Amino acid sequence: MEVSDPLDSSLGEREFAPGCATRVLLDHVTSKWGVLVLVALADGTQRWGELRRRATGISEKMLAQTLKTLQADGLVHREAQPTIPPRVDYSLTEDGREFVELLLPLVTWVADYAKRSG
Amino acid sequence: MEVSDPLDSSLGEREFAPGCATRVLLDHVTSKWGVLVLVALADGTQRWGELRRRATGISEKMLAQTLKTLQADGLVHREAQPTIPPRVDYSLTEDGREFVELLLPLVTWVADYAKRSG
DNA sequence: CGGTATCCGCGTGGATACTG
DNA sequence: CAGTATCCACGCGGATACCG
């Protein structure tokens, strides 16, 4: 291709078919709540209630759904203590930590840009 | 905090209020089609028709809406030639290029991870 | 070619109530 | 505390038609 192309970072093929694994996973991790939950978990292991407070505005339904999806994707680890009252801890898996390392700079940039522009 | 916290990357405050500028912008740039359009534009200036093909599966309505939003956010530049037939070029602004530099590694990682896992 | 306008189905996601 | 279950509205987004 003859366009200048200064940003090609070794991603050979950028045409993703609708419904392909990459697009599906991308939708999960870039979803409205997915981003906020992952960013919250970047601070370390957290409980259900903490996550609800940190992902401000999320409903119980969406928190459950988001966590299940990210868990199935292999990015989030769930550990339940069989105590009463129950205690459940959520944390990032090794893969999740890898991903969040790329996500945090992006979120930081957005927050920064929103401040400069807004 | 006593958790290990190896990922704190100088983002002091991570609790974003619903509807705040950061959350709104984050929703734009992490939206289903926003990501694909930005990634497509990372390859350089492109026309409407090219973008439609690259963001495979997008409708005309969503492409128009996505481009307008990203343009209003200051990440995308639009340049229309007053010719017949009309020709309109879309490209990243300087800010858009900054952002996409952070976005591409993330998308690359997701594509890679989807391949290893899926 | 590069859009805009309109209609409308349906899935996302909020609210509420209930459970182990 | 940490969820599940159910109901339902509303807006996202696709399809279609049309315009400059």
Side-chain angles (χ1 to χ4, degrees):
Chain A
M1 55 196 68
E2 52 285 70
V3 297
S4 55
D5 202 357
L7 290 172
D8 196 335
S9 71
S10 81
L11 182 54
E13 206 40 57
R14 291 222 192 82
E15 290 169 28
F16 307 117
C20 75
T22 300
R23 288 269 289 256
V24 170
L25 185 56
L26 208 50
D27 282 353
H28 295 171
V29 298
T30 66
S31 72
K32 179 185 173 83
W33 300 117
V35 170
L36 292 177
V37 165
L38 287 168
V39 166
L41 285 174
D43 281 340
T45 299
Q46 259 153 102
R47 304 179 61 177
W48 167 275
E50 293 179 293
L51 288 173
R52 268 218 80 187
R53 265 173 274 117
R54 302 243 309 33
T56 318
I58 198 172
S59 65
E60 297 192 337
K61 179 181 174 180
M62 290 315 297
L63 180 55
Q65 188 177 123
T66 302
L67 285 171
K68 264 183 194 160
T69 302
L70 294 176
Q71 191 186 346
D73 289 334
L75 302 178
V76 164
H77 175 67
R78 189 191 118 112
E79 195 158 7
Q81 259 84 20
T83 59
I84 293 183
R87 175 196 178 96
V88 183
D89 290 320
Y90 291 93
S91 58
L92 294 173
T93 62
E94 191 57 40
D95 290 328
R97 254 173 263 132
E98 267 187 46
F99 176 77
V100 168
E101 262 175 66
L102 300 172
L103 179 61
L104 279 187
L106 191 145
V107 173
T108 305
W109 187 91
V110 168
D112 227 45
Y113 182 67
K115 199 179 292 184
R116 325 203 281 277
S117 306
Chain B
M1 61 193 64
E2 52 284 67
V3 298
S4 53
D5 201 357
L7 291 172
D8 196 335
S9 71
S10 81
L11 182 55
E13 205 41 56
R14 293 224 191 81
E15 289 170 30
F16 306 117
C20 75
T22 300
R23 289 268 289 254
V24 170
L25 185 57
L26 208 49
D27 282 353
H28 295 170
V29 298
T30 66
S31 71
K32 178 186 176 81
W33 299 117
V35 170
L36 292 177
V37 166
L38 288 168
V39 166
L41 286 173
D43 280 340
T45 299
Q46 259 153 105
R47 304 179 60 178
W48 167 275
E50 293 180 294
L51 288 173
R52 269 218 81 185
R53 265 175 275 116
R54 305 268 249 82
T56 318
I58 198 172
S59 65
E60 297 192 337
K61 178 181 175 181
M62 291 316 296
L63 179 55
Q65 188 177 122
T66 301
L67 285 170
K68 264 184 192 158
T69 302
L70 294 177
Q71 191 185 349
D73 289 334
L75 301 179
V76 164
H77 175 67
R78 188 191 118 112
E79 193 158 9
Q81 259 84 20
T83 60
I84 292 183
R87 175 194 178 97
V88 183
D89 290 320
Y90 291 93
S91 58
L92 294 174
T93 62
E94 190 57 41
D95 289 328
R97 253 173 264 131
E98 267 187 47
F99 176 76
V100 168
E101 261 174 64
L102 300 172
L103 179 61
L104 280 187
L106 190 145
V107 174
T108 304
W109 187 92
V110 168
D112 226 46
Y113 182 67
K115 199 178 293 185
R116 328 202 278 280
S117 305

